Amino acid sequence: MTRDPINRRLGVLVSGRGTNLQSLIDAIGDGRLDASIAVVISNRADAGALGRAGAASIESLCLSHKGWPSREDYDRALVRELQVRDVGLVCLAGFMRIFSAPMLEAFPNAILNIHPALLPSFPGLHPQRQALEHGVKVSGVTVHLVTAELDGGPIVVQRTVPVLDSDTEDTLAARILVEEHVAYPDAVRMVLDGGWKVEGRRFVRL
Ligand code: GRF
């Protein structure tokens, strides 16, 4: 499937402090990324990311995942909030939820996720801890298209960092985070610019 340039209105989904949201806000603000953020949606009312959206005058809302009859129902509600704002690309920025069919079908190859490890190594929770425990000498960040496979979709951008013998989970996470803030705006730009296709599990630029 070949993608033409897509609608540059982003929907950013968050659950936490929102430094990756901030990297997108900053990249748009200083002209490195030609896009706009149509909405920030958090599944947690206490997410620091909501304050960042407010400070940047971006519309935000909290859509709690609790109390829905099923994961599909929650995802359908998310789809409605995104589609009503004409979002073209969904960016998961620390959004701690797994999607079901309604989200994946509404945004085929139009959802990005950022993961603080070099996938396919260390998917899932605590990837920095997994990397340290495994003893790898290099780790990093992956931005990938979201598919039904957890942390398994086509890889758009990866950046690496060294893993030091002296590292703790926190020091490694901090080193990776610096690269996350470069990788995410880069990946969003590549996806929005089009001229790529998905071939098997590969994201290929034409
Ligand atoms: C980041 O490490 C991101 O890679 C992972 O969750 C963390 C979110 O951090 N998916 P922040 O909320 O963007 O600061």
Side-chain angles (χ1 to χ4, degrees), residues 41 63 68 72-82:
I41 302 178
L63 191 63
W68 298 86
E72 285 75 10
D73 286 294
Y74 178 68
D75 281 9
R76 274 189 280 273
L78 271 181
V79 168
R80 274 195 298 278
E81 298 293 353
L82 294 164

Side-chain angles (χ1 to χ4, degrees), residues 48-89:
L50 291 170
R52 295 179 188 269
S57 301
I58 295 167
E59 186 189 357
S60 66
L61 59 101
C62 175
L63 191 63
S64 173
H65 57 280
K66 293 183 184 154
W68 298 86
S70 70
R71 191 177 286 277
E72 285 75 10
D73 286 294
Y74 178 68
D75 281 9
R76 274 189 280 273
L78 271 181
V79 168
R80 274 195 298 278
E81 298 293 353
L82 294 164
Q83 286 183 339
V84 82
R85 293 171 178 84
D86 192 26
V87 164
L89 180 66

Side-chain angles (χ1 to χ4, degrees), residues 16-21 93-96 113-116 128 177 180-181:
R17 64 194 166 169
T19 67
N20 279 289
L21 165 67
F95 186 65
M96 300 300 285
N113 182 42
I114 186 160
H115 184 78
Q128 300 96 339
L177 196 61
E180 293 188 39
H181 298 160

Side-chain angles (χ1 to χ4, degrees), residues 118-154:
L118 295 177
L119 292 169
S121 293
F122 315 129
L125 294 176
H126 308 301
Q128 300 96 339
R129 188 187 308 166
Q130 293 184 56
L132 281 179
E133 284 174 0
H134 197 95
V136 294
K137 302 302 183 197
V138 176
S139 189
V141 53
T142 303
V143 184
H144 64 92
L145 293 171
V146 171
T147 63
E149 188 186 347
L150 176 66
D151 294 329

